[in-house]
Amino acid sequence: MERILSQMPEFFTWANLALLGNAALMTLSMTLLGCLVGFALALALVMLRTAPGRWAVPLRVLCILYVEVFRRIPFLVVIYLVLFFIQTVSSDTSLFTIAVISICIYAIAYTADIIRGGIESVPHTQIEAARAMNMSHLQTMWHTILPQAWPVILPPALAFSVSFIKDTALVSQIGVFELTFRGKELNNQGYSGVLVYGTIALCYFAMSFPLSLLGQYLEGRLATPRSQRRLRKIRRP
Amino acid sequence: MPHLAVNDVYAKYGALEVLHGIAFEVDRGEVVSLVGPSGSGKSTVLRTLVGLTPVSRGSVEVDGTSIDYRSGRALKAARDRMAIVFQQYNLFQNMNVLRNVTLAPTKVKGRNRREVEEEAMELLALVGMSDKAGAYPDELSGGQQQRVAIARALALKPDILLLDEVTSALDPELVNEVLDAIRRLAREGMTMLLVSHEMAFVREVSSKVVFMDKGRVVETGAPARIFDAPESDRARDFFGKVLRG
């Protein structure tokens, strides 16, 4: 305890805080980029998967296989797989890119399932109505099904992304300069582990807590869009 | 040549065969009603016509041209000519009334949005819904939603309008507003094929009635003949039950 207190002034220097700040930014940008790209790819994948017609059957099998496989592999293993796979193909890919690709691969597997669930929550009769009017699969999805599915998709997708902020700590294992990696460095420089990792823990909390609050707020907004619109209408003088 | 000819059509839901050789004809400007007990396959007939339930055998001809439902292009052409209104309205919940009516004409047929909106407002006036153009489906009663659904189908400019038990999900006091809209269409010469349990309405509006039972057409004829002097025992039994009192 005394050691911690005595180290505090040396530890909380601008240099160290800037180091941690940068590392936190790295963590955030990795998560954001990986989850956004992953979400977009998952959306495209589910669109293809739900397409009618025989040509979509192999895609459907592939999607199910992908989701089932990657949801059953630890994230750390995915990271190593991507690292070693990419290193055999090209030697000058940055570790950041490798981390983002790993997050992407993992995020696709989880969000694809969330998106599929959201689409299935919309009554099938809505699809039939659109089909009977000659709307294409993409038009049906884009104009009628997805807008109704967003309230079901977005909250868990956001929750997944927010929880992933902390899971990215695992990429420190391959040497990406993110929060946990910097923590290890500072600890090696002789700072107390409790002090260093306590600060790091606070950083993670500070990043994910506001985002999860935002998620809850959005969930409330999305849950009853029309009834709220009606309320606003009534409140209007 | 009939406008629409259904020749010996068979259809399955999965392994269950629900239509065993349906045949009837609809002439241009005619209103034909499919009647019969629940589960006789009336709605399935309408669904097969727009390709929502696959035809396993037999043929459907529109103006003498046979429709091959396995071909995407033929299916598109069939859906261009026939529009369906569902029992549960199936309006798109995420858009307002006007957008529901204009979506397919603008997105599928690529027509000018303003022009389509003008037409849509006329159609909404026809079904008495022009004052609700900005409302969302969940703000409307069932009868109102169903009238919008009719306007939405008409906006596709179909040759034949298919009406699938359009009043069955409605509260009794809302039935007439929908029937009035259909009467108006009939007067304007719209070709319609309808499934209905409103026998008095069927009798009034149809030029031909097709009585179905267990996936087969039992008898076909003018409404007065079918209702008052049915030839088959099955029809006599059915109308004896539904028309009594």
Side-chain angles (χ1 to χ4, degrees):
Chain A
M1 196 63 206
E2 269 166 52
R3 187 169 149 244
I4 295 174
L5 285 175
S6 65
Q7 276 186 352
M8 266 196 172
E10 298 168 57
F11 180 69
F12 291 109
T13 57
W14 283 116
N16 278 351
L17 288 181
L19 189 79
L20 287 180
N22 271 333
L25 271 181
M26 181 73 112
T27 292
L28 264 183
S29 54
M30 238 169 17
T31 313
L32 195 72
L33 206 60
C35 286
L36 271 182
V37 175
F39 186 79
L41 289 176
L43 194 62
L45 209 67
V46 175
M47 290 296 100
L48 288 172
R49 186 190 158 172
T50 53
R54 230 158 290 161
W55 60 270
V57 172
L59 268 172
R60 226 166 289 165
V61 174
L62 214 66
C63 285
I64 294 170
L65 218 65
Y66 181 96
V67 171
E68 289 302 318
V69 168
F70 281 98
R71 280 172 53 137
R72 278 166 179 72
I73 300 178
F75 182 49
L76 188 58
V77 176
V78 175
I79 297 168
Y80 279 129
L81 268 177
V82 172
L83 175 72
F84 292 123
F85 179 77
I86 288 185
Q87 277 182 345
T88 59
V89 190
S90 86
S91 51
D92 57 352
T93 312
S94 75
L95 288 174
F96 180 78
T97 311
I98 288 170
V100 169
I101 292 174
S102 312
I103 295 171
C104 247
I105 287 176
Y106 212 60
I108 289 173
Y110 275 86
T111 48
D113 235 25
I114 294 172
I115 294 168
R116 189 182 52 82
I119 286 173
E120 280 172 6
S121 76
V122 180
H124 190 67
T125 49
Q126 295 274 303
I127 297 178
E128 285 192 339
R131 281 287 149 72
M133 294 198 292
N134 258 341
M135 283 168 65
S136 69
H137 177 63
L138 217 60
Q139 285 173 330
T140 305
M141 284 295 158
W142 188 252
H143 294 293
T144 71
I145 306 305
L146 280 177
Q148 296 182 63
W150 287 137
V152 181
I153 293 172
L154 287 183
L158 209 66
F160 169 78
S161 308
V162 171
S163 76
F164 216 84
I165 292 175
K166 58 183 165 50
D167 294 345
T168 54
L170 287 169
V171 304
S172 64
Q173 290 296 318
I174 61 168
V176 181
F177 298 148
E178 47 70 76
L179 214 43
T180 308
F181 186 83
R182 290 303 190 196
K184 225 178 321 179
E185 267 185 351
L186 289 170
N187 187 217
N188 287 343
Q189 284 172 22
Y191 292 113
S192 138
V194 176
L195 181 62
V196 172
Y197 285 108
T199 312
I200 302 265
L202 261 177
C203 287
Y204 277 114
F205 179 80
M207 282 190 287
S208 68
F209 188 62
L211 282 173
S212 67
L213 281 185
L214 177 75
Q216 278 171 20
Y217 169 75
L218 282 179
E219 194 168 352
R221 286 280 313 240
L222 284 168
T224 50
R226 269 190 298 279
S227 55
Q228 286 193 348
R229 192 167 45 231
R230 214 172 302 152
L231 273 179
R232 278 204 295 278
K233 217 179 280 174
I234 294 165
R235 282 199 208 107
R236 211 181 297 148
Chain B
M1 181 172 53
H3 196 24
L4 169 73
V6 176
N7 307 316
D8 200 27
V9 163
Y10 286 70
K12 283 179 195 162
Y13 273 126
L16 184 71
E17 192 168 72
V18 281
L19 298 183
H20 322 274
I22 295 291
F24 63 88
E25 291 176 350
V26 180
D27 285 327
R28 196 176 282 276
E30 197 179 24
V31 178
V32 173
S33 299
L34 303 179
V35 300
S38 296
S40 58
K42 310 178 295 285
S43 294
T44 309
V45 171
L46 300 192
R47 290 175 59 88
T48 55
L49 289 177
V50 290
L52 289 176
T53 301
V55 176
S56 51
R57 197 137 62 85
S59 74
V60 174
E61 287 173 25
V62 177
D63 291 332
T65 312
S66 176
I67 299 166
D68 176 9
Y69 283 99
R70 281 161 306 179
S71 131
R73 192 183 298 170
L75 179 57
K76 256 193 152 59
R79 287 171 172 170
D80 257 347
R81 316 213 41 188
M82 293 178 272
I84 187 166
V85 180
F86 300 93
Q87 180 179 354
Q88 295 290 347
Y89 349 117
N90 298 359
L91 293 182
F92 301 129
Q93 300 294 316
N94 59 310
M95 50 186 91
N96 68 23
V97 163
L98 185 62
R99 194 85 187 103
N100 258 286
V101 179
T102 59
L103 183 70
T106 52
K107 297 297 170 197
V108 177
K109 300 197 172 165
R111 294 177 53 206
N112 175 282
R113 182 156 174 175
R114 182 166 301 172
E115 185 188 305
V116 171
E117 278 180 2
E118 270 172 36
E119 262 178 38
M121 288 310 293
E122 283 169 28
L123 289 171
L124 287 173
L126 181 76
V127 295
M129 286 299 293
S130 39
D131 56 328
K132 295 282 188 189
Y136 279 76
D138 64 357
E139 298 168 340
L140 301 175
S141 73
Q144 291 174 323
Q145 288 193 57
Q146 194 57 288
R147 286 183 282 151
V148 172
I150 291 172
R152 179 173 74 170
L154 290 173
L156 299 164
K157 302 192 174 176
D159 291 334
I160 306 166
L161 186 62
L162 312 177
L163 302 164
D164 185 10
E165 300 196 33
V166 290
T167 58
S168 296
L170 302 180
D171 290 337
E173 73 268 26
L174 302 177
V175 167
N176 268 321
E177 60 187 65
V178 173
L179 295 186
D180 280 341
I182 300 171
R183 279 188 190 101
R184 205 166 308 145
L185 291 175
R187 272 200 301 278
E188 291 185 2
M190 185 80 211
T191 309
M192 287 186 277
L193 177 59
L194 56 99
V195 170
S196 181
H197 292 294
E198 303 283 336
M199 292 305 161
F201 176 71
V202 164
R203 184 176 192 136
E204 167 203 332
V205 82
S206 330
S207 42
K208 186 155 75 185
V209 173
V210 177
F211 176 73
M212 286 177 62
D213 185 36
K214 297 197 178 104
R216 289 190 175 80
V217 172
V218 179
E219 57 177 300
T220 304
R225 220 265 305 135
I226 293 278
F227 284 121
D228 300 335
E231 282 164 5
S232 61
D233 290 342
R234 191 66 195 88
R236 206 172 299 133
D237 179 51
F238 175 74
F239 290 119
K241 278 175 190 149
V242 296
L243 295 180
R244 193 172 47 205

